[in-house]
Coordinates of all heavy atoms in Angstrom, one line a residue:
A43 N -4.7 25.8 24.3 CA -4.9 25.3 25.6 C -6.1 26.1 26.3 O -7.0 25.6 26.7 CB -3.7 25.4 26.4
R44 N -5.9 27.4 26.3 CA -6.8 28.3 27.0 C -8.1 28.6 26.2 O -8.0 28.9 25.0 CB -6.2 29.6 27.4 CG -5.0 29.3 28.4 CD -4.7 30.4 29.4 NE -5.9 30.9 30.0 CZ -6.2 32.2 29.8 NH1 -5.5 33.0 29.1 NH2 -7.3 32.6 30.4
S45 N -9.2 28.6 26.9 CA -10.5 29.0 26.2 C -10.5 30.4 25.6 O -11.1 30.6 24.6 CB -11.6 28.9 27.3 OG -11.8 27.6 27.7
A46 N -9.8 31.3 26.3 CA -9.7 32.7 25.8 C -9.0 32.8 24.5 O -9.2 33.7 23.7 CB -9.0 33.6 26.8
V47 N -8.1 31.8 24.2 CA -7.4 31.8 22.9 C -8.2 30.9 21.9 O -8.3 31.2 20.7 CB -6.0 31.3 23.1 CG1 -5.3 31.2 21.7 CG2 -5.2 32.1 24.1
S48 N -8.8 29.8 22.4 CA -9.5 28.9 21.5 C -10.7 29.5 20.9 O -11.1 29.2 19.8 CB -9.9 27.6 22.3 OG -8.8 26.7 22.5
S49 N -11.4 30.3 21.7 CA -12.7 30.9 21.2 C -12.5 31.7 19.9 O -13.2 31.4 18.9 CB -13.3 31.8 22.3 OG -13.7 31.0 23.4
P50 N -11.6 32.7 19.9 CA -11.5 33.4 18.6 C -10.9 32.6 17.5 O -11.3 32.8 16.3 CB -10.6 34.6 18.9 CG -9.9 34.3 20.2 CD -10.8 33.3 20.9
I51 N -10.0 31.6 17.8 CA -9.5 30.8 16.8 C -10.6 29.9 16.2 O -10.8 29.7 15.0 CB -8.4 29.9 17.3 CG1 -7.1 30.7 17.6 CG2 -8.0 28.7 16.4 CD1 -6.0 30.0 18.3
A52 N -11.5 29.4 17.1 CA -12.6 28.5 16.6 C -13.6 29.2 15.8 O -14.1 28.6 14.9 CB -13.3 27.9 17.9
S53 N -13.8 30.5 16.0 CA -14.7 31.3 15.2 C -14.2 31.3 13.8 O -15.0 31.1 12.8 CB -14.8 32.7 15.7 OG -15.5 32.7 17.0
I54 N -12.9 31.7 13.6 CA -12.4 31.8 12.2 C -12.2 30.4 11.6 O -12.5 30.1 10.5 CB -11.1 32.6 12.3 CG1 -11.4 34.0 12.6 CG2 -10.4 32.5 10.9 CD1 -10.3 34.9 12.9
A55 N -11.6 29.4 12.4 CA -11.4 28.1 11.9 C -12.7 27.5 11.4 O -12.7 26.7 10.4 CB -10.7 27.2 13.0
G56 N -13.8 27.7 12.1 CA -15.0 27.2 11.7 C -15.4 27.7 10.3 O -16.0 26.9 9.5
R57 N -15.2 28.9 10.0 CA -15.5 29.5 8.7 C -14.6 28.9 7.6 O -15.0 28.9 6.5 CB -15.4 31.0 8.7 CG -16.5 31.7 9.6 CD -16.5 33.2 9.5 NE -17.5 33.8 10.3 CZ -18.7 34.0 9.9 NH1 -19.0 33.8 8.6 NH2 -19.5 34.6 10.7
L58 N -13.4 28.5 8.0 CA -12.5 27.9 7.1 C -12.7 26.4 7.0 O -11.9 25.8 6.3 CB -11.0 28.2 7.5 CG -10.6 29.7 7.6 CD1 -9.2 29.8 8.2 CD2 -10.6 30.3 6.2
R59 N -13.6 25.9 7.7 CA -13.9 24.4 7.8 C -12.6 23.7 8.2 O -12.3 22.6 7.7 CB -14.4 23.9 6.5 CG -15.7 24.5 6.1 CD -16.2 23.9 4.8 NE -17.6 24.5 4.6 CZ -18.4 24.0 3.8 NH1 -18.1 22.9 3.1 NH2 -19.6 24.5 3.6
L60 N -12.0 24.3 9.2 CA -10.7 23.7 9.8 C -11.0 23.1 11.2 O -11.3 23.9 12.1 CB -9.7 24.8 9.8 CG -8.3 24.5 10.2 CD1 -7.7 23.5 9.2 CD2 -7.4 25.8 10.2
P61 N -10.9 21.8 11.3 CA -11.1 21.2 12.6 C -10.1 21.7 13.7 O -9.0 21.9 13.4 CB -11.0 19.7 12.4 CG -11.1 19.5 10.9 CD -10.6 20.8 10.3
Q62 N -10.6 21.9 14.9 CA -9.8 22.3 16.0 C -10.1 21.4 17.2 O -11.3 21.2 17.5 CB -10.1 23.7 16.4 CG -9.3 24.2 17.6 CD -9.7 25.7 18.0 OE1 -10.6 26.3 17.4 NE2 -9.1 26.2 19.0
I63 N -9.1 20.8 17.8 CA -9.3 19.9 19.0 C -8.5 20.5 20.1 O -7.2 20.7 20.0 CB -8.8 18.5 18.7 CG1 -9.5 17.9 17.5 CG2 -9.0 17.6 19.9 CD1 -9.0 16.6 17.0
S64 N -9.1 20.9 21.2 CA -8.4 21.4 22.3 C -8.4 20.4 23.5 O -9.4 19.7 23.7 CB -9.1 22.7 22.8 OG -8.4 23.2 24.0
Y65 N -7.3 20.4 24.1 CA -7.1 19.5 25.3 C -7.3 20.1 26.6 O -7.3 19.5 27.6 CB -5.7 18.9 25.2 CG -4.6 19.9 25.0 CD1 -4.0 20.6 26.1 CD2 -4.2 20.4 23.7 CE1 -3.1 21.6 26.0 CE2 -3.3 21.4 23.6 CZ -2.7 22.0 24.7 OH -1.8 23.0 24.5
W66 N -7.6 21.5 26.6 CA -7.7 22.2 27.9 C -8.7 23.2 27.9 O -9.1 23.8 29.0 CB -6.3 22.8 28.2 CG -6.0 23.0 29.6 CD1 -6.4 22.4 30.7 CD2 -5.0 24.0 30.1 NE1 -5.9 22.8 31.8 CE2 -5.0 23.8 31.5 CE3 -4.2 24.9 29.5 CZ2 -4.2 24.6 32.3 CZ3 -3.4 25.7 30.3 CH2 -3.4 25.5 31.7
S67 N -9.3 23.6 26.8 CA -10.4 24.6 26.8 C -11.7 24.1 27.3 O -12.3 23.2 26.7 CB -10.5 25.2 25.3 OG -9.3 25.8 24.9
T68 N -12.2 24.7 28.3 CA -13.4 24.2 29.0 C -14.6 25.1 28.9 O -15.7 24.7 29.4 CB -13.1 23.9 30.5 OG1 -12.7 25.1 31.1 CG2 -12.1 22.8 30.6
L69 N -14.5 26.2 28.3 CA -15.6 27.2 28.1 C -16.8 26.5 27.6 O -16.8 25.9 26.5 CB -15.1 28.3 27.3 CG -16.1 29.5 27.1 CD1 -16.3 30.2 28.5 CD2 -15.6 30.5 26.1
S70 N -17.9 26.5 28.3 CA -19.1 25.8 27.9 C -19.6 26.3 26.5 O -20.1 25.5 25.7 CB -20.2 26.0 28.9 OG -19.8 25.4 30.2
S71 N -19.6 27.6 26.2 CA -20.1 28.1 25.0 C -19.4 27.5 23.7 O -19.9 27.6 22.6 CB -20.1 29.6 25.0 OG -18.8 30.1 25.0
L72 N -18.2 27.0 23.9 CA -17.5 26.4 22.8 C -18.2 25.2 22.2 O -17.9 24.7 21.1 CB -16.0 26.0 23.1 CG -15.0 27.2 23.2 CD1 -13.8 26.8 23.9 CD2 -14.8 27.8 21.8
S73 N -19.1 24.7 23.0 CA -19.9 23.5 22.6 C -21.1 23.9 21.6 O -21.7 23.0 21.0 CB -20.6 22.8 23.8 OG -19.6 22.2 24.6
D74 N -21.3 25.2 21.4 CA -22.3 25.7 20.5 C -21.9 25.5 19.1 O -21.1 26.3 18.5 CB -22.6 27.2 20.8 CG -23.8 27.7 20.0 OD1 -24.1 27.1 19.0 OD2 -24.3 28.8 20.5
K75 N -22.4 24.5 18.4 CA -22.1 24.1 17.1 C -22.5 25.2 16.0 O -21.9 25.2 15.0 CB -22.6 22.8 16.7 CG -21.9 21.6 17.4 CD -20.4 21.6 17.2 CE -19.7 20.5 17.9 NZ -18.3 20.7 17.9
S76 N -23.4 26.0 16.4 CA -23.8 27.1 15.5 C -22.7 28.2 15.4 O -22.6 28.9 14.4 CB -25.2 27.7 15.8 OG -25.1 28.4 17.0
L77 N -22.0 28.3 16.5 CA -20.9 29.3 16.5 C -19.5 28.7 16.2 O -18.7 29.3 15.6 CB -20.8 29.9 17.9 CG -22.0 30.8 18.3 CD1 -21.9 31.2 19.8 CD2 -22.2 31.9 17.4
Y78 N -19.3 27.4 16.7 CA -18.0 26.8 16.6 C -18.2 25.4 16.0 O -18.1 24.4 16.6 CB -17.4 26.7 17.9 CG -17.3 28.0 18.7 CD1 -18.2 28.2 19.8 CD2 -16.5 29.0 18.3 CE1 -18.1 29.4 20.5 CE2 -16.4 30.2 19.0 CZ -17.3 30.4 20.1 OH -17.2 31.6 20.7
P79 N -18.6 25.3 14.7 CA -19.0 24.0 14.1 C -17.8 23.0 14.0 O -18.1 21.8 13.9 CB -19.5 24.4 12.7 CG -18.8 25.7 12.4 CD -18.7 26.4 13.7
Y80 N -16.6 23.4 14.0 CA -15.5 22.5 13.8 C -14.6 22.4 15.1 O -13.5 21.8 15.1 CB -14.6 22.9 12.7 CG -15.3 22.6 11.3 CD1 -16.2 23.5 10.8 CD2 -15.0 21.5 10.6 CE1 -16.8 23.3 9.6 CE2 -15.6 21.2 9.4 CZ -16.6 22.1 8.9 OH -17.2 21.9 7.8
F81 N -15.2 22.8 16.2 CA -14.4 22.8 17.5 C -14.8 21.5 18.2 O -15.9 21.1 18.3 CB -14.7 24.0 18.4 CG -14.0 23.9 19.7 CD1 -12.7 24.4 19.8 CD2 -14.6 23.4 20.8 CE1 -11.9 24.3 20.9 CE2 -13.9 23.4 22.0 CZ -12.6 23.8 22.1
M82 N -13.7 20.8 18.8 CA -13.9 19.7 19.6 C -12.9 19.8 20.8 O -12.0 20.5 20.8 CB -13.5 18.4 18.8 CG -14.4 18.2 17.6 SD -13.7 17.0 16.5 CE -12.7 18.1 15.4
R83 N -13.2 18.9 21.8 CA -12.3 19.0 23.0 C -12.2 17.6 23.6 O -13.0 16.7 23.3 CB -12.8 20.0 24.0 CG -14.1 19.6 24.7 CD -14.5 20.6 25.7 NE -15.7 21.3 25.2 CZ -15.9 22.6 25.3 NH1 -15.1 23.3 25.9 NH2 -17.0 23.1 24.8
T84 N -11.2 17.5 24.4 CA -10.9 16.2 25.1 C -11.1 16.3 26.6 O -10.6 15.4 27.3 CB -9.5 15.7 24.8 OG1 -8.6 16.6 25.4 CG2 -9.3 15.5 23.3
I85 N -11.8 17.3 27.1 CA -11.9 17.6 28.5 C -13.4 18.1 28.8 O -14.0 18.6 27.9 CB -10.9 18.7 28.9 CG1 -10.8 18.9 30.4 CG2 -11.2 20.0 28.2 CD1 -9.7 19.8 30.8
P86 N -13.9 17.8 30.0 CA -15.3 18.2 30.3 C -15.4 19.7 30.3 O -14.5 20.5 30.5 CB -15.5 17.7 31.7 CG -14.5 16.6 31.9 CD -13.3 17.0 31.1
I87 N -16.6 20.2 30.0 CA -16.9 21.6 30.0 C -17.0 22.2 31.4 O -17.2 21.5 32.4 CB -18.2 21.9 29.2 CG1 -19.4 21.3 29.8 CG2 -18.0 21.5 27.7 CD1 -20.7 21.7 29.2
D88 N -16.9 23.5 31.5 CA -17.0 24.2 32.8 C -18.3 23.9 33.5 O -18.3 23.9 34.8 CB -17.0 25.7 32.6 CG -15.6 26.2 32.2 OD1 -14.6 25.5 32.5 OD2 -15.5 27.3 31.5
L89 N -19.4 23.7 32.8 CA -20.7 23.4 33.4 C -20.6 22.2 34.3 O -21.2 22.2 35.4 CB -21.7 23.3 32.3 CG -23.2 23.4 32.8 CD1 -23.4 24.7 33.5 CD2 -24.1 23.3 31.6
A90 N -19.9 21.2 33.9 CA -19.8 20.0 34.8 C -19.0 20.3 36.1 O -19.4 19.8 37.2 CB -19.1 18.9 34.0
V91 N -18.0 21.0 36.0 CA -17.2 21.4 37.2 C -18.0 22.3 38.1 O -18.0 22.2 39.3 CB -15.9 22.1 36.7 CG1 -15.1 22.5 38.0 CG2 -15.0 21.1 35.9
A92 N -18.7 23.2 37.5 CA -19.5 24.2 38.2 C -20.6 23.4 39.0 O -20.9 23.7 40.2 CB -20.1 25.3 37.4
A93 N -21.2 22.5 38.3 CA -22.3 21.7 39.0 C -21.8 20.9 40.1 O -22.4 20.9 41.2 CB -23.0 20.8 38.0

Side-chain angles (χ1 to χ4, degrees):
R44 299 211 41 244
S45 296
V47 180
S48 285
S49 295
I51 290 174
S53 292
I54 293 173
R57 292 188 181 267
L58 298 172
R59 297 182 176 196
L60 186 59
Q62 178 183 0
I63 303 171
S64 177
Y65 50 87
W66 206 25
S67 296
T68 58
L69 185 64
S70 299
S71 64
L72 283 166
S73 295
D74 185 340
K75 291 300 178 192
S76 68
L77 297 174
Y78 310 107
Y80 287 82
F81 181 81
M82 298 164 271
R83 70 178 109 225
T84 62
I85 188 169
I87 62 173
D88 291 334
L89 197 55
V91 176

